Amino acid sequence: MTTDLSAPQVSGDTTTAGRGKRPRPPFGVSAVGILAVLTALFSLLPLGYVIFMTGVTGWDTAVTLVFRPRVGELLLNTVLLILITVPLCLVLGVGGAWLVERTGLRGNKWWAVLLAAPLAVPAFVNSYAWVSAVPSLEGLWSGVLIATLSYFPLVYIPAAAALSRLDPAIEQSAASLGLGAWRTFFRVVLPQLRIAMTGGALLVALHLLAEYGAFAMIRFDTFTTAIMIQYRSTFNGTAGNMLASVLVFFCLILLLLEGRSRGTARYARVGSGVQGKALRLPLRSYQLPAQLSLLALTVLAFGLPLWVVLRWTLAGAGSWPADEFIPALLQTLGYGLAGAAVTIVVGFPMAFLAVRYPSWFSKALELSNYITSSMPGIVVGLAFVTVSIRVVPGVYQTAGVLVAAYVLLFLPRALVNLRSGLAQAPKELEEAAQSLGRPPLLSFIRVTLRLTAPAAAGGAALVFLGIVNELTATLLLSPNGTRTLATQFWSKSSEIDYVGAAPYALLMILVSAPMTYLLFQQSKKAAGQ
């Protein structure tokens, strides 16, 4: 253990210093803390809405509405969907990551990108493509097919990033002790992927709970589709509110299960020297089956949707209505850019506290945002509809309310990146700038903000991707006359106008593709930190 002789010396009451009493933060930090607290309180609005509506409904009515056959049917559908889809995504995601990162797979760099590409296709666009290709698709197994092909990259991306950074010395030690390739994988490699796997599984499960468009197209009832039907028929009726409360409870259970299954173990290399390069397992006779398997998966998850969208787009190339097409693109870009910018600004105070002044308090503030982001967009949308109508009716169906909903839904995407950027801009650099005569505010702007800018840009790009593909909250909250790519696509596809919906789907894929690639590259960099 060494002592940092460059640290500032503390004079005065040595007893207080010995007890580790922290100095009071300056006024600027206190102001940042107030902003972070306000953000956390605001982010709890959807949860407060669910609790309030449950209390207003009354115990007897709530019990009657929750414990009825329809809720049992929706619960069974949802549980079966999660129990079947999540393991399939884990197998495809981890298996694909292992082939790309740890075997002699030919063209592994191309496959690394292609396996992440399906994330650029929104699930409701994927469903549209499959329904137009196979009109008889409906029910649970169709939902499992579409959801698995849409969401397995959520497991593949973190698993590939983790595999690329695992120290091969442990595997080499296992091999020297006589363990074969398969036993080494299951006993050594797989346990080290637990964090990536549980995190990816949680993301898949939460997306399954939140998805509306993909399941509505194949007439598969889930809580989200049932809530939307209730909302449209009774305008935020009591039955819909109770379904929302059950859905939120389900989300919280998933969060607790993920935290428990993740455990407290951490896998990191702490010894001296440079980490060795992993030896790739030769596939030999399995090379062709591996190539064909990945080709089939990529064609089904990305090739077929893209082909169907292109086919319908070319079929109607001469009949695109410019007065609908161009405004939808511009409004999507406008809401995406505005929502991304606001989310970064709102998330910065919370990320700043978490990095510069870590404590149980800053962790609690962060947790409030993750709880809200785990809720489906329809619950967030219903909360804003109810609050805006009852409390501030003048803001109902305004652009500000819609952007605020986007902020709550996608704030964690910004927080993760902002924390990473701030961690690479330690406060000692600001202190050095101040020692050279720079004012504190100028030092903060020219040092900290400058170093954080790349990470903030990455977080903004991920928020932008989420906004472009968001459907349910946009349908509930968008001002009259709003036309985004997602809502216009949904309007056309709901009318079975596949030709009219195709250009909107194609644009969403084209806009999402570079953001998906950015997500893949950032996950690799994050795993290396």
Side-chain angles (χ1 to χ4, degrees), residues 201-221:
L202 175 65
L203 287 177
V204 172
L206 292 178
H207 276 76
L208 293 177
L209 293 180
E211 182 57 46
Y212 166 68
F215 300 137
M217 282 188 176
I218 59 174
R219 298 178 291 279
F220 177 60
D221 293 335

Side-chain angles (χ1 to χ4, degrees), residues 252-304:
L252 296 178
I253 292 295
L254 288 176
L255 285 175
L256 292 175
L257 289 176
E258 189 272 340
R260 186 176 182 85
S261 62
R262 186 197 315 154
T264 58
R266 294 294 181 268
Y267 303 97
R269 187 177 187 274
V270 296
S272 60
V274 180
Q275 177 172 305
K277 187 176 181 179
L279 296 177
R280 291 183 174 269
L281 182 69
L283 290 177
R284 298 190 179 91
S285 61
Y286 293 100
Q287 182 74 235
L288 181 60
Q291 295 282 346
L292 293 177
S293 298
L294 294 182
L295 178 62
L297 179 60
T298 305
V299 168
L300 294 176
F302 185 70
L304 184 142

